[in-house]
Amino acid sequence: MFTGGTAPGGAGIQNVGGTLNATNCAFTGNSATHGGAIQNVAGQVCLSACVFTNNQAGAGGGALENSGTLMADLCTFVSNSVAGTDGTRGNSYGESGGSGGSAVGGAIYNVGTLAISRSTFTNNSVVGGSGAGGYEGLYGEFGGNGWPGGSGGAGGNAAGGALYNAGAAQLINSTFAFNSAKGGNGGTGGAGGDSSYGSGALGGAGGWGGVGAGALDNVGDLRMINCTFVFNSGSARSEEHTSELQ
């Protein structure tokens, strides 16, 4: 069992150019930026009857990130996740908030060659980071008008609650259920600067919410045979309101 590990890449196993075979292994509660449990970099990985539960990543591949060749048969992926980083708030008058980070591949992020058979993906998720708030506008002095507040940052996009494929993937006799993707919330616009004698300024615009794309997001080559998708979801998050005129 591989449990509770932390690392920049592959907190359970990082395979760089090697050959890895794993049978009846469990990967639980591991956390990395790329590939929470396993990161395969230009190597070959073969998994049989392995279980991946509650692993997480900060960028892509809550359980697995693959840029080599990866084959998985009779494997189970449950409650793995990716959460994008939140944006940074503006820190000077009128500065916009930073955008939230994207999140891809709640269970698997693939840019290599992937073959999945007789496997299940359940309750895996991706959530885009929230956009940060804009900084308030500058106060108008000596009869001048106030300055506008900074715009809120955009929420991060989320793609592939279970699988994000930008490589070549084949899925056979596999089931995807209750996986989800949610875009991050947009940041709040900063308050407009006031003025004693001139006009107050408008607050900054709220950031757009991020887009969420369901259980599987494919931008590469994908072939599916006899697969089942049920009760998966994808949703955008809210745009925060613009601050009012001061």
Side-chain angles (χ1 to χ4, degrees), residues 199-221:
S199 299
L202 284 171
W208 288 102
V211 174
L216 190 158
D217 195 344
N218 176 56
V219 296
D221 295 321

Side-chain angles (χ1 to χ4, degrees), residues 1-7 11-12 26-32 35-37 51-57 62-63 78-81:
M1 176 180 285
F2 297 82
T3 183
T6 59
F27 298 81
T28 303
N30 300 288
S31 178
V51 178
F52 296 83
T53 307
N54 291 323
N55 301 287
Q56 59 183 346
V78 179
S79 298
N80 302 286
S81 63

Side-chain angles (χ1 to χ4, degrees), residues 71-234:
M71 295 166 284
D73 182 46
L74 290 171
C75 290
T76 302
F77 299 85
V78 179
S79 298
N80 302 286
S81 63
V82 177
T85 56
D86 292 337
T88 302
R89 184 174 183 264
N91 59 12
S92 60
Y93 290 113
E95 183 177 358
S96 296
S99 298
S102 61
V104 291
I108 300 177
Y109 174 75
N110 179 56
V111 293
T113 301
L114 176 70
I116 303 288
S117 58
R118 299 185 295 175
S119 296
T120 59
F121 295 79
T122 308
N123 287 324
N124 302 287
S125 64
V126 286
V127 179
S130 294
Y135 203 83
E136 65 187 46
L138 185 64
Y139 183 84
E141 296 181 337
F142 308 112
N145 296 330
W147 290 37
S151 299
N157 293 329
L163 169 63
Y164 180 87
N165 178 53
Q170 177 173 271
L171 309 175
I172 300 175
N173 294 331
S174 294
T175 299
F176 296 78
F178 299 100
N179 303 287
S180 64
K182 295 181 180 179
N185 287 322
T188 304
D194 201 356
S195 174
S196 297
Y197 300 101
S199 299
L202 284 171
W208 288 102
V211 174
L216 190 158
D217 195 344
N218 176 56
V219 296
D221 295 321
L222 175 65
R223 182 185 183 195
M224 294 189 293
I225 300 173
N226 196 32
C227 292
T228 301
F229 292 80
V230 59
F231 299 120
N232 301 288
S233 64

